[in-house]
Amino acid sequence: MIYAIIIIVIGIAVFFSGIWEQNLATIILGALLEVVGLVSFFFKWHAAKKQGNMKKMKSSITKRIGSLAVIVAGLLAAVLAPAGGNTASWRWFGLFLIVLGVYFLLGQKTTDEQRTAEAEQRAESPPLRWYQSPILWVPVIVAVVAILSLLV
């Protein structure tokens, strides 16, 4: 199901990119990716329902990824609004999707079982070394991209 959600988000990005570029082939490709993702999601959901694995589908990770997918779709709608006179409605739609995704992301409750499972997982995994830390690498990547953008 996660792959289907990722395909849907990529399809939305391609679709909005096609609208931005005003390219019909890109718009159709984005729409096809969205349809393929939705059909795949539906079939996986239906198969899990038949097998009785709906508890697995109600897990917090699926809800979190779905919420993040809505946030990403909102960002894409807000940033890749089509050029022209009516960009405000696309930007408001993107803002609405962002707020909706944040609402669903923050509104998720965790059970005691989920908290104990996450605590056990944290206890099993070793701590990060200093060179594995994103706190180190994010500024380095930003500096490299800034330098490259100045040179080009």
Side-chain angles (χ1 to χ4, degrees):
M1 286 189 49
I2 293 172
Y3 294 124
I5 293 173
I6 291 171
I7 290 173
I8 292 169
V9 170
I10 291 171
I12 291 170
V14 171
F15 181 78
F16 282 126
S17 176
I19 291 174
W20 174 260
E21 297 169 356
Q22 297 179 352
N23 186 348
L24 183 62
T26 309
I27 294 171
I28 292 172
L29 179 65
L32 283 174
L33 282 172
E34 289 177 38
V35 168
V36 167
L38 286 170
V39 168
S40 172
F41 184 84
F42 174 74
F43 282 132
K44 292 197 186 253
W45 183 274
H46 196 357
K49 188 175 180 181
K50 279 186 178 178
Q51 293 176 353
N53 292 338
M54 290 310 288
K55 278 190 176 180
K56 185 178 180 183
M57 297 302 167
K58 292 181 181 177
S59 70
S60 63
I61 189 73
T62 305
K63 291 178 184 178
R64 288 178 189 164
I65 289 176
S67 299
L68 291 173
V70 171
I71 292 170
V72 169
L75 287 171
L76 291 172
V79 171
L80 295 178
N86 196 11
T87 60
S89 61
W90 283 98
R91 298 195 193 282
W92 281 109
F93 177 68
L95 179 65
F96 171 74
L97 286 178
I98 292 170
V99 169
L100 185 70
V102 169
Y103 172 75
F104 283 126
L105 188 63
L106 295 178
Q108 295 177 16
K109 305 287 184 211
T110 56
T111 62
D112 291 333
E113 295 171 356
Q114 290 173 341
R115 287 189 198 115
T116 56
E118 288 175 4
E120 289 174 1
Q121 185 180 9
R122 272 188 246 119
E124 291 174 0
S125 61
L128 292 175
R129 304 259 189 241
W130 68 272
Y131 53 84
Q132 295 173 320
S133 173
I135 295 172
L136 169 73
W137 289 107
V138 168
V140 170
I141 292 170
V142 168
V144 168
V145 168
I147 290 170
L148 288 176
S149 68
L150 290 175
L151 293 176
V152 173

